[in-house]
Amino acid sequence: MGSTIELSSLDKLVSDTLSGDALKEFNRIHYGRTDHHDLPIKTNNVNFDIAAYNFPAKKEETRTPRIVRVGVIQHSIAISTDKPITEQRQGIFEKIRYIIETAGDEGVNILCLQEAWSMPFAFCTREKQPWCEFAESVHNGPSSQFLKEFATKYGMVIISPILERDETHGDTIWNTAVVINELGNVIGKHRKNHIPRVGDFNESTYYFEGNTGHPVFETKFGKIAINICYGRHHPLNWLMFGINGAEIVFNPSATVAGLSEHLWGVEARNAAIANSYFTCAINRVGTEIFPNEFTSGDGKSAHREFGHFYGSSYITAPDGTRTPGLSRIRDGLLIAQLDLNLCRQIKDKWGFTMTQRLNLYAESLNNAGKHDFQPQIVKNN
Amino acid sequence: MGSTIELSSLDKLVSDTLSGDALKEFNRIHYGRTDHHDLPIKTNNVNFDIAAYNFPAKKEETRTPRIVRVGVIQHSIAISTDKPITEQRQGIFEKIRYIIETAGDEGVNILCLQEAWSMPFAFCTREKQPWCEFAESVHNGPSSQFLKEFATKYGMVIISPILERDETHGDTIWNTAVVINELGNVIGKHRKNHIPRVGDFNESTYYFEGNTGHPVFETKFGKIAINICYGRHHPLNWLMFGINGAEIVFNPSATVAGLSEHLWGVEARNAAIANSYFTCAINRVGTEIFPNEFTSGDGKSAHREFGHFYGSSYITAPDGTRTPGLSRIRDGLLIAQLDLNLCRQIKDKWGFTMTQRLNLYAESLNNAGKHDFQPQIVKNN
């Protein structure tokens, strides 16, 4: 990919090429609505991609609209990976400070950052040092300290996915999303449930499968959950957040072109449809160069580049309509105004939670989990 | 929809408009590969849409390629719905006979028809008569009799989704897929697991949730399963076919524009990705006019039309690459040549079956299925 000119956006390519009725039909069939319901914003002339969309719901007689504005931020790292840890992290802080403030100024109520946002995604290297030094405490680590200020200033909930150091359990490391409420208090955390062993994603070298279940955080602005990165490939993970009552599930990720780009528009969107909630898929941006060479388990030569992280963050509503993606190459802020009443309206319309037959599957999965499980096979005759 | 000119294909719209590198990038990001790997076929000048694609796998040292050719047929009904039942069915038989023979001539090994293919999708009417008379016996009904001839002639497995009459259990009615093997024997059946109560899809009026579990049929050409229509909205349904070992899952459907079209490209494709198997999504074509008016539960006036069924049948590989869809408006035959070795290759690459934590979810679903279940909620503080 490195030597060709990167396409900035698949969505923009199509909307620049089609027009009139053809564009409307494309939008209807692909995105689920003929126009994108742009939301007016006051920000302009910024050095990052910014877009805002509206997802209204029908008026109800017995509930008032439950309007919430969510924001997601995608970004590249700030300075080279051979610089001191604290400088690298501070560089990212300074780089995204203005994007966070823009989110606050635009009235964002719930803001989510990308996976392991305060560090390079160094797990490709399989080196423990210096990368494990990026791991931080949930309550008092530098990322939480940094973000609490903005949570308080703007009265917004912030989800901060970090590399966690758990000092009270043997200095263990986890891939964790921290939830900071609108008063600046850490109200809880969720640890990544499914850990990849895929190509450069040697994450099982660093941390284990999460032990925090599928928590839903009942915030001032709605019931939210976090499905971290590779967990988006697991429909059961999405399902349990829905069963626990989530109205918005964030999917902070780090994933690269060549591996997953054609899956990106499918998985978080399918989860929104299957579970009648909103999903927000967030991917980092750019190519990261590491000090020492590493191999990717693909028979190719050792190299120092990891990427291209293709951005393309997007948001899907419970009715399956979605926003265009942010840029594939630039930092960005994606804002959406959601009426959370849409979740229950769609449950009533499609009935997926009524028709899902949970007891049947509890029994089936219980059998399937046994080592001597016998699959249901019909032989030819 | 009825008064505007119908778009024949979203895929064709894009490929006719974009060109060169832009089209390649669109194809790579959207379909998962820069070109569609067209498969040469000998048929031409037919009065239905026909397309064929290839899904190769890497060569292995210890297994030979396992090449199988699948075909799916989408079609409209043949004559008006006020004609006698037997004439309506016979009309469909005559209409699709030539499409089935074309599939046989093109070397199709496994052929799947659309949901309730031998009748109009009359459940919108909520009338029991005459529509229940379309229900037929699995083993000796007219549809099975009709198809056995082609299964034997071409040595192909045929999946026949019908409205089933079960005479041995109180003349009950089911929505059932019959599996006929290459010798013309019915080797088994699967009954639709999840039944919709959505708009014109009053199917719970006619039949209940299936009692046949999630069978995988071990045919001469590979391990196959059938997820009937509305079951595609349920990730657990897809999952259990995968756990039981399916390599190809067919999704015979009947669904209409306005309701589901923007979900169509997402759900069966996501299932292929999540379960490392091939999926074949099949939808009928056209608008069906019924003798008596009915309402759609949407506050609108009574009417006699049900549709537009938008076709757009497509096939997805376990790596998430997919074919363009068949026409939105014409009958069609979609053929794909699959190397089934790709399923295990993708399991090894992505590791979803290794990382899915079935025991965790068996316990979670067991709890969730209880009436006094307490969801995992973290309160604000």
Side-chain angles (χ1 to χ4, degrees):
Chain A
M1 300 295 302
S3 60
T4 59
I5 294 169
E6 285 286 352
L7 181 70
S8 70
S9 159
L10 187 69
D11 305 277
K12 195 165 179 314
L13 169 67
V14 171
S15 63
D16 285 352
T17 309
L18 298 178
S19 61
D21 285 347
L23 180 58
K24 278 190 187 161
E25 270 299 85
F26 183 88
N27 287 348
R28 182 183 69 78
I29 296 175
H30 183 65
Y31 300 103
R33 48 190 191 177
T34 52
D35 91 55
H36 292 307
H37 289 61
D38 288 300
L39 193 70
I41 51 174
K42 49 194 173 185
T43 305
N44 54 38
N45 286 325
V46 286
N47 64 347
F48 54 88
D49 195 16
I50 181 166
Y53 304 99
N54 193 19
F55 289 100
K58 290 207 167 64
K59 277 192 73 169
E60 300 184 12
E61 284 195 42
T62 58
R63 296 194 301 182
T64 52
R66 297 171 55 230
I67 308 295
V68 56
R69 206 170 269 215
V70 296
V72 304
I73 293 176
Q74 65 177 35
H75 62 88
S76 59
I77 57 175
I79 62 173
S80 71
T81 59
D82 56 359
K83 294 286 193 301
I85 295 290
T86 47
E87 283 181 31
Q88 288 189 55
R89 186 160 50 210
Q90 196 60 36
I92 295 173
F93 285 2
E94 293 314 315
K95 177 188 181 43
I96 73 163
R97 170 188 296 276
Y98 185 58
I99 311 182
I100 298 173
E101 288 173 340
T102 302
D105 287 340
E106 292 292 351
V108 164
N109 305 117
I110 307 173
L111 180 68
C112 185
L113 304 179
Q114 70 198 22
E115 184 185 24
W117 68 273
S118 57
M119 61 178 287
F121 211 74
F123 313 117
C124 54
T125 65
R126 295 186 298 105
E127 301 161 350
K128 294 298 174 80
Q129 286 303 325
W131 315 115
C132 285
E133 290 197 53
F134 275 106
E136 8 173 352
S137 155
V138 162
H139 281 272
N140 296 308
S143 292
S144 291
Q145 292 299 337
F146 172 70
L147 293 173
K148 283 174 181 178
E149 171 195 337
F150 301 103
T152 311
K153 178 174 175 188
Y154 295 105
M156 69 184 166
V157 171
I158 303 182
I159 299 165
S160 171
I162 58 168
L163 189 66
E164 178 197 355
R165 173 78 74 181
D166 182 359
E167 294 90 349
T168 60
H169 291 90
D171 290 324
T172 43
I173 287 179
W174 301 92
N175 185 316
T176 301
V178 180
V179 180
I180 302 168
N181 77 1
E182 78 285 358
L183 306 173
N185 301 323
V186 171
I187 62 169
K189 65 174 181 287
H190 172 63
R191 289 171 173 161
K192 187 172 182 171
N193 271 328
H194 301 269
I195 309 298
R197 292 94 163 132
V198 185
D200 281 326
F201 296 82
N202 303 302
E203 298 176 47
S204 65
T205 303
Y206 295 86
Y207 40 79
F208 278 63
E209 280 71 16
N211 60 357
T212 52
H214 295 85
V216 167
F217 300 91
E218 199 168 64
T219 73
K220 181 179 174 187
F221 305 110
K223 294 199 244 181
I224 64 173
I226 309 104
N227 179 342
I228 305 176
C229 197
Y230 183 79
R232 77 180 174 279
H233 306 301
H234 287 285
L236 284 165
N237 203 33
W238 292 108
L239 176 72
M240 278 311 302
F241 294 120
I243 285 176
N244 285 327
E247 297 169 307
I248 311 167
V249 180
F250 295 89
N251 176 230
S253 296
T255 184
V256 293
L259 184 65
S260 67
E261 193 164 2
H262 62 292
L263 317 181
W264 181 248
V266 176
E267 294 168 303
R269 191 177 185 191
N270 188 76
I273 297 163
N275 299 289
S276 306
Y277 53 47
F278 291 91
T279 63
C280 305
I282 313 159
N283 185 25
R284 68 172 56 204
V285 172
T287 300
E288 301 181 358
I289 319 274
F290 290 94
N292 305 316
E293 63 178 11
F294 57 91
T295 53
S296 299
D298 57 2
K300 294 183 184 159
S301 300
H303 53 95
R304 294 171 52 225
E305 308 78 34
F306 184 20
H308 159 76
F309 297 100
Y310 54 79
S312 308
S313 303
Y314 71 101
I315 294 174
T316 305
D319 63 2
T321 56
R322 59 157 285 185
T323 71
L326 284 180
S327 169
R328 296 180 66 254
I329 47 180
R330 299 176 73 203
D331 295 351
L333 169 64
L334 176 61
I335 297 169
Q337 179 167 295
L338 322 175
D339 186 341
L340 298 181
N341 280 355
L342 190 59
C343 298
R344 201 177 78 178
Q345 289 176 12
I346 295 299
K347 286 177 186 170
D348 285 348
K349 175 181 178 181
W350 278 102
F352 297 155
T353 49
M354 295 276 283
T355 57
Q356 65 191 119
R357 305 183 73 181
L358 286 185
N359 293 318
L360 170 70
Y361 291 101
E363 189 181 336
S364 300
L365 293 190
N366 189 46
N367 289 330
K370 292 177 181 159
H371 75 89
D372 57 355
F373 164 62
Q374 294 294 323
Q376 185 184 352
I377 299 281
V378 177
K379 300 278 184 189
N380 201 354
N381 60 14
Chain B
M1 302 291 303
S3 60
T4 61
I5 294 167
E6 284 286 352
L7 181 71
S8 70
S9 159
L10 187 69
D11 306 275
K12 195 164 180 315
L13 169 67
V14 170
S15 64
D16 285 351
T17 308
L18 298 178
S19 62
D21 286 348
L23 180 58
K24 278 188 188 162
E25 271 297 86
F26 182 89
N27 287 347
R28 182 183 69 77
I29 296 175
H30 183 65
Y31 300 102
R33 48 190 191 177
T34 51
D35 92 54
H36 292 308
H37 290 60
D38 287 301
L39 194 70
I41 52 172
K42 49 194 175 187
T43 305
N44 54 38
N45 286 326
V46 287
N47 66 347
F48 53 88
D49 194 17
I50 181 166
Y53 304 98
N54 193 19
F55 289 100
K58 290 207 168 64
K59 276 190 72 168
E60 300 184 13
E61 286 195 40
T62 58
R63 296 193 302 181
T64 52
R66 298 171 56 227
I67 309 294
V68 57
R69 207 170 269 214
V70 297
V72 304
I73 293 176
Q74 65 177 33
H75 61 89
S76 58
I77 55 174
I79 62 173
S80 72
T81 59
D82 58 358
K83 293 287 194 300
I85 296 289
T86 49
E87 282 181 33
Q88 288 189 54
R89 185 160 50 210
Q90 196 61 36
I92 295 172
F93 286 1
E94 294 314 315
K95 177 188 183 40
I96 73 163
R97 170 188 295 276
Y98 185 58
I99 312 182
I100 298 173
E101 287 174 339
T102 302
D105 287 339
E106 292 292 350
V108 164
N109 304 119
I110 308 173
L111 180 68
C112 186
L113 304 179
Q114 69 198 20
E115 184 185 25
W117 68 272
S118 58
M119 61 179 286
F121 211 74
F123 313 117
C124 54
T125 65
R126 295 188 297 107
E127 301 160 349
K128 294 297 173 82
Q129 286 304 323
W131 315 115
C132 286
E133 290 196 54
F134 274 105
E136 6 173 355
S137 155
V138 162
H139 282 271
N140 297 308
S143 292
S144 291
Q145 293 298 338
F146 172 70
L147 293 173
K148 282 174 181 178
E149 171 196 335
F150 300 102
T152 311
K153 178 175 177 187
Y154 295 105
M156 71 184 165
V157 172
I158 302 181
I159 300 165
S160 171
I162 58 168
L163 190 66
E164 178 197 354
R165 172 79 72 183
D166 182 359
E167 294 89 349
T168 61
H169 290 90
D171 290 325
T172 43
I173 286 179
W174 302 91
N175 185 315
T176 301
V178 180
V179 181
I180 302 167
N181 76 0
E182 77 286 357
L183 306 173
N185 300 324
V186 171
I187 63 169
K189 64 173 181 286
H190 172 63
R191 290 172 174 159
K192 185 172 183 172
N193 271 328
H194 301 269
I195 309 299
R197 291 96 164 131
V198 185
D200 281 326
F201 295 83
N202 303 303
E203 299 176 46
S204 65
T205 304
Y206 295 85
Y207 39 80
F208 277 63
E209 281 70 17
N211 59 357
T212 53
H214 295 84
V216 167
F217 300 91
E218 199 168 64
T219 74
K220 181 179 174 186
F221 305 110
K223 293 199 243 180
I224 65 173
I226 309 102
N227 179 342
I228 305 175
C229 196
Y230 183 79
R232 76 179 175 281
H233 306 302
H234 286 285
L236 285 165
N237 202 34
W238 292 107
L239 177 73
M240 278 312 302
F241 294 119
I243 285 175
N244 284 327
E247 297 168 307
I248 311 167
V249 181
F250 296 90
N251 176 230
S253 297
T255 183
V256 294
L259 185 64
S260 68
E261 193 163 4
H262 62 292
L263 318 181
W264 180 249
V266 176
E267 293 168 303
R269 191 176 185 192
N270 188 76
I273 298 164
N275 299 289
S276 305
Y277 53 47
F278 292 91
T279 62
C280 306
I282 314 159
N283 185 24
R284 67 171 59 204
V285 172
T287 300
E288 302 181 357
I289 317 275
F290 291 93
N292 306 316
E293 63 179 9
F294 56 92
T295 52
S296 299
D298 57 3
K300 294 182 184 159
S301 301
H303 54 96
R304 294 173 51 227
E305 308 79 33
F306 184 18
H308 158 79
F309 297 100
Y310 54 79
S312 308
S313 303
Y314 72 101
I315 293 174
T316 306
D319 62 2
T321 57
R322 59 156 285 184
T323 71
L326 285 180
S327 169
R328 297 180 67 252
I329 48 180
R330 299 177 72 203
D331 294 351
L333 169 64
L334 176 62
I335 296 170
Q337 180 168 293
L338 322 175
D339 185 343
L340 298 182
N341 281 354
L342 190 59
C343 298
R344 202 178 76 180
Q345 290 176 12
I346 294 300
K347 285 178 186 171
D348 286 349
K349 175 181 178 181
W350 278 101
F352 298 155
T353 49
M354 296 275 282
T355 56
Q356 67 191 150
R357 305 184 74 181
L358 286 185
N359 293 319
L360 169 69
Y361 291 101
E363 189 181 337
S364 299
L365 293 191
N366 189 47
N367 290 331
K370 292 176 182 160
H371 75 89
D372 56 354
F373 165 63
Q374 293 292 322
Q376 185 184 353
I377 298 281
V378 177
K379 299 279 184 189
N380 201 357
N381 60 15

